[in-house]
Amino acid sequence: MLRQIKPRNARSKRALEKRAPHLTENPKNTLFLRYSSCSQIVQLALADILSIKRPLVVRFNKKNDIHPFEDPSSLEFFSEKNDAALIVYGSNSKKRPHCLTLIRCFDHKVLDMLELYIDPETFRTLNQFKNRKCAVGLKPLISFSGTPFENPTTTPYTLAKSLLLDLFRGSEVQNVDVSGLQYIISISVGDEVEGQPPPKIHFRAYLIKTRKSGQKVPRVELEEMGPRFDFRIGRSRQADESVMKEALKRPKHLEPKQKKNIETDLIGDKVGRIHMGKQDLGALQTRKMKGLKRSREFEDKDIVRKANGLQNGGAETKRTKS
């Protein structure tokens, strides 16, 4: 049951109406903040992710002594104060080096969270790639590849896929201009092997360049623009089933009305089912082809052959009677 707050004046009433649930929600803002001890690698990673996420970002420059898995109350307060549904928290310690904690909130309460440890040897920033960067505020293409991402049960890898997709998807739009697809984010992971450490998550970002191909369809080339991350999975907290069910609930006004005998397949094509009565195939009108029609010459020969047969048959019958 959600807590009901009665406004004391018109100003607080307008503020509560702004934060109340809407049929079409606002784009999710992301809050970036760091722990009291934070390495240079984590600070660069936060800056690069923030530059890709702009303009839907809120950044705190001061250090914060917060432990998300022990007491997330401060993060929930920041989420409500800044209207941020996503939080990226950077920290560094001997036990958990170069750690990024991805936190998702519902009704300004922590829904689920996941720790990702950055590999410092393979980490590359945006500035280390000397090329053009994507424009601000564009939606990326996002690609996930790897068997652990497709697990039907909830695992840290499926949680990482959900959080990363929610982090970089941007605002929802009805139509997308092809010229606005300037970069793609590729997130891949290897297969899990028994007796081996969990596979790393490889995060890459590429610019999309179109070249002349001499045809109507241009040739597409990819050029890495950064940042480059290799993540190791850390601690995770799954969402409560009842809270997740409440978070995934959609208003009835937005749900499309189901039409009878019409379905949509996996590819997205519309498939319809038609019910018809019993057909008499004997009276079915088929197409008459000119090549299958007998010519006049063959019809005349058939008539002569039948006439000769009748004459021969009549003579034989007369001989038998005599």
Side-chain angles (χ1 to χ4, degrees), residues 69-88:
F69 284 86
E70 285 76 20
D71 184 16
S73 58
S74 298
L75 296 175
E76 293 173 350
F77 172 77
F78 291 148
S79 172
E80 184 176 4
K81 200 72 175 175
N82 298 276
D83 192 20
L86 298 169
I87 300 174
V88 181

Side-chain angles (χ1 to χ4, degrees), residues 6-26:
K6 292 184 179 180
R8 296 182 179 180
N9 49 41
R11 182 180 178 183
S12 59
K13 183 179 180 180
R14 289 193 299 269
L16 288 175
E17 289 177 353
K18 187 178 180 181
R19 294 181 181 178
H22 303 284
L23 288 178
T24 305
E25 292 289 346
N26 300 327

Side-chain angles (χ1 to χ4, degrees), residues 145-153 155-158 161 189-192 199:
S145 60
T147 306
F149 286 143
E150 306 300 330
N151 199 321
T153 60
T155 64
Y157 289 98
T158 58
K161 177 182 178 180
V189 64
D191 295 333
E192 295 180 285

